[in-house]
Amino acid sequence: MRYEVTLDDRLVRVELADHGRFTIDDRAVAADIRETVRGRQWSITVDGESHEITVVTHDPLRLDVDGHDVRATVVDERALRANRGAAGTRSGRVELRAPMPGLLKAVHVKEGDRVAADAPLATLEAMKMENELLAPARQRARRWRRAPS
């Protein structure tokens, strides 16, 4: 699984392989990751360097990395594909697809609204996490329609 991770203003591409190895910006990295508090805190050793990471807030994502406050975003490859696919069709109708199955919790725009690029359109809940679906381009909001199953 591939991820685009932004730590403050630094973009990092991370790929996790099935066998436990991973790459950071296409460089193989030796790492040991131990979850110390379930879903909240980890002890990570990367290339022999130890780090303590704690989730401070989820929305927006803020981390405490070795005592430093870091703003972060994490986008997986499914969301990247969905966003890139929708962004490619900027003229006329734009189809927005959820990156995973989930429950539609809120719609933040109504039909006819002018929507800026990257503005939140809807909130989707999946696996007890809320994910905002963002506008891929500046446009007018259209009627919501559920995709065929």
Side-chain angles (χ1 to χ4, degrees):
M1 180 69 85
R2 279 175 277 221
Y3 299 88
E4 281 191 0
V5 179
T6 305
L7 302 169
D8 283 333
D9 295 325
R10 182 174 172 231
L11 176 67
V12 180
R13 289 182 178 80
V14 178
E15 184 169 356
L16 303 174
D18 293 333
H19 55 331
R21 296 183 53 127
F22 66 96
T23 62
I24 297 176
D25 289 334
D26 298 322
R27 183 176 68 87
V29 181
D32 179 41
I33 301 170
R34 297 185 196 282
E35 189 174 38
T36 54
V37 177
R38 185 178 168 99
R40 182 156 162 68
Q41 190 172 46
W42 296 265
S43 176
I44 300 175
T45 304
V46 178
D47 284 340
E49 217 175 286
S50 182
H51 303 281
E52 296 297 319
I53 299 175
T54 304
V55 174
V56 177
T57 63
H58 286 282
D59 190 19
L61 183 58
R62 281 186 35 240
L63 306 173
D64 179 292
V65 180
D66 298 332
H68 300 283
D69 189 54
V70 177
R71 291 173 295 124
T73 61
V74 179
V75 182
D76 69 30
E77 64 185 326
R78 291 173 295 189
L80 289 170
R81 275 196 308 269
N83 288 341
R84 287 186 183 129
T89 57
R90 293 192 183 258
S91 62
R93 185 180 191 103
V94 175
E95 184 174 294
L96 178 68
R97 291 184 177 244
M100 78 284 289
L103 176 66
L104 184 62
K105 294 291 282 188
V107 177
H108 306 295
V109 296
K110 55 187 183 293
E111 189 172 356
D113 285 353
R114 290 196 182 270
V115 179
D118 295 325
L121 298 176
T123 302
L124 181 74
E125 182 182 299
M127 298 173 54
K128 297 185 181 180
M129 295 289 293
E130 289 190 357
N131 301 284
E132 281 191 337
L133 302 180
L134 304 178
R138 184 176 174 197
Q139 61 200 39
R140 274 195 189 275
R142 297 183 186 263
R143 184 173 298 145
W144 288 88
R145 174 177 78 77
R146 184 179 292 257
S149 299

